[in-house]
Amino acid sequence: MNPTQPVIAVVGGGISGVILTIALTRRGLNVQLYEQAAKFGEIGAGVAFGPNAVRAMGVCSPDVTRAFETVVTRNQSPEKQQVWFDFCDGFSDYPVGEEKVLFTLANEMGVMSVHRANFLDAMVKLVPDGITQFNKRLESIEEPDSLNDKVKIKFQDGTEALADAVIGCDGIKSRTRAWMLGQNHPGAKPVYTHKYAYRGLIPMEKAIEALGEQNAKNAKMHLGRDGHFLTFPVQGGKTMNVVAFRTKSDPWPDQSRMTKPSTKEAAFADFKDFGPTVQKIIELLEPNLDIWGIFDTGDHPMAAYNKGRVCVVGDAAHATSPHHGAGAGICIEDSAVLAELLASPEIRAAGMRGFEAAFQIFSDCRKERTQWLVQSSRRSGDLYEWRAKGVEDDFEKIGAECKERCEKIWDGQIEDMCHDALSCVATALQRVN
Ligand SMILES: Cc1cc2nc3c(=O)[nH]c(=O)nc-3n(C[C@H](O)[C@H](O)[C@H](O)COP(=O)(O)OP(=O)(O)OC[C@H]3O[C@@H](n4cnc5c(N)ncnc54)[C@H](O)[C@@H]3O)c2cc1C
């Protein structure tokens, strides 16, 4: 820490908070990272990244890309290196492992997946020592009375901290967002999308034995009516990750918890109309499974991601359902753009006003793409499940629309995003001064 320089408090040590912290500290900025848990950790299994995410990692820091390369798993077959997913008919009665491929989406890097915990561990090693405080659950924030005062952060344990600026990376149930909008604002809480997912991991040898090598070792999306089922390799190909989505109109039982315990029997019942390959994959799952409710912020998108010297980033700002496999990637784009802004010499020279200007630019520049992703992900979930209006089970139309939507994500050029944001600095500084 350089005591003469302002302090940025980052609240939340998930993918957004940790990568943003790395990006800021690598640019010589002072950061204090506050995490509610007793240690860094991720729950859940695999997370996939597209080319836009990998390019954004490089802007955050080349060390982030290098660390990612140590934990990434790609499709295992040489001819599938550029394939994102093969989209198959998981509903019809094809024999196990012989589902019809309806269409394939591909990009220059293919699908790049990591085991969440391994990825976070690799990133955490890049966070400088001594700047993280654990067991610090943000309760509320107090804005300063004047430019010379600091923002006060209050934690659930009764302690407080002061910072010159606060960045909420506290995820889908963000306290920072609730503080910015007001507790009773409908956007303060995420909404249930009426989709839920079973998640599981299957040892690769078992998956190969049951499904055949090509099916087990490469990313597959099994489409069907009111459900979809995806499998991809993680952990260097030692494990097959499974995420099985189902749509139902029932309400989610407990809004305060996003997961609930379930069983393989319940998964069989949910996917009873699906084809033999999907049934076979369920057979391979553990008897006890967790169900994840799929929530997002799509009903009440935030009008702004900033308020004075406070800002929200990642899921705290724009939590998306996972149907594009791009939520974490877009968090990394956020981190890259915000780090570039906060490190800009003009922003740094402007002191406290610089934070206000940077956060305003961040909000203005990121809103459209990030909120589009939230809506597009909802639409994609429905396309995979033959529920999208005007498309239903017309596979040619599903393929064409999925391609167009995915390419908009993958083609995102982080250098251009940063350039556009930085080109707003002079005007934004004039506005706040
Ligand atoms: C089923 C599923 C599958 C997904 N698959 C993909 C995928 O394949 N590809 C992809 O790109 N994205 C995927 N996503 C989305 C991705 O997981 C998220 O976008 C990403 O993890 C969000 O990171 P984050 O750091 O913003 O939030 P989080 O990961 O939620 O991290 C928030 C952090 O803040 C801490 N925190 C929370 N509240 C407080 C508080 N009050 N005070 C202090 N600390 C606090 C938490 O403990 C946590 O460490 C998926 C999501 C789901 C649900």
Side-chain angles (χ1 to χ4, degrees), residues 272-392:
K272 67 177 174 2
D273 296 330
F274 277 64
T277 301
V278 164
Q279 305 294 331
K280 189 75 199 173
I281 298 169
I282 298 173
E283 254 180 55
L284 301 177
L285 294 171
E286 297 290 324
N288 295 318
L289 299 168
D290 277 340
I291 290 185
W292 292 56
I294 305 300
F295 287 71
D296 73 12
T297 52
D299 280 3
H300 308 284
M302 292 181 85
Y305 296 157
N306 65 314
K307 186 176 179 200
R309 279 187 266 149
V310 181
C311 179
V312 276
V313 162
D315 274 18
H318 44 73
T320 173
S321 55
H323 311 304
H324 271 308
I330 224 99
C331 295
I332 300 172
E333 286 182 6
D334 277 0
S335 298
V337 171
L338 189 53
E340 282 287 279
L341 278 168
L342 289 171
S344 112
E346 295 83 0
I347 291 287
R348 292 180 77 163
M352 300 304 117
R353 291 281 189 223
F355 286 118
E356 290 177 4
F359 291 166
Q360 184 64 55
I361 300 168
F362 173 78
S363 175
D364 293 345
C365 290
R366 295 299 294 161
K367 253 176 26 182
E368 188 183 333
R369 179 166 165 85
T370 53
Q371 294 183 359
W372 169 85
L373 179 77
V374 176
Q375 299 305 330
S376 184
S377 178
R378 282 186 179 189
R379 170 84 180 170
S380 297
D382 282 344
L383 284 166
Y384 304 158
E385 300 182 1
W386 312 348
R387 298 168 55 86
K389 283 208 176 63
V391 179
E392 282 87 29

Side-chain angles (χ1 to χ4, degrees), residues 28-81:
L29 299 169
N30 275 349
V31 177
Q32 280 290 330
L33 174 58
Y34 298 100
E35 164 58 42
Q36 66 176 1
K39 57 185 174 60
F40 290 114
E42 275 273 357
I43 48 171
V47 59
F49 291 105
N52 61 306
V54 178
R55 288 192 290 268
M57 290 177 197
V59 171
C60 289
S61 164
D63 291 339
V64 169
T65 318
R66 277 191 283 274
F68 169 70
E69 283 298 335
T70 64
V71 290
V72 69
T73 302
R74 295 181 167 82
N75 279 330
Q76 302 290 290
S77 304
E79 69 278 17
K80 298 278 182 193
Q81 291 307 297

Side-chain angles (χ1 to χ4, degrees), residues 412-430:
Q413 300 297 330
I414 191 66
E415 305 281 354
D416 295 345
M417 296 175 207
C418 293
H419 178 268
D420 290 350
L422 290 168
S423 70
C424 301
V425 166
T427 318
L429 283 173
Q430 269 169 14

Side-chain angles (χ1 to χ4, degrees), residues 11-17 34-37 41-42 46-49 116 136-139 169-175 197 199 232 243 245 292-294 313-316 320 322 325-331:
V11 178
I15 289 174
S16 301
Y34 298 100
E35 164 58 42
Q36 66 176 1
E42 275 273 357
V47 59
F49 291 105
R116 280 175 184 267
K136 290 292 171 198
R137 180 171 166 73
L138 173 76
E139 187 69 35
C169 298
D170 45 351
I172 188 165
K173 293 200 263 179
S174 171
R175 293 290 300 184
R199 300 172 84 178
F232 57 88
V243 194
F245 293 89
W292 292 56
I294 305 300
V313 162
D315 274 18
T320 173
I330 224 99
C331 295

Side-chain angles (χ1 to χ4, degrees), residues 389-408:
K389 283 208 176 63
V391 179
E392 282 87 29
D393 59 355
D394 182 330
F395 301 128
E396 210 169 300
K397 281 192 186 164
I398 295 176
E401 192 174 330
C402 288
K403 180 172 185 293
E404 192 184 327
R405 289 176 181 280
C406 284
E407 285 179 351
K408 180 164 170 168

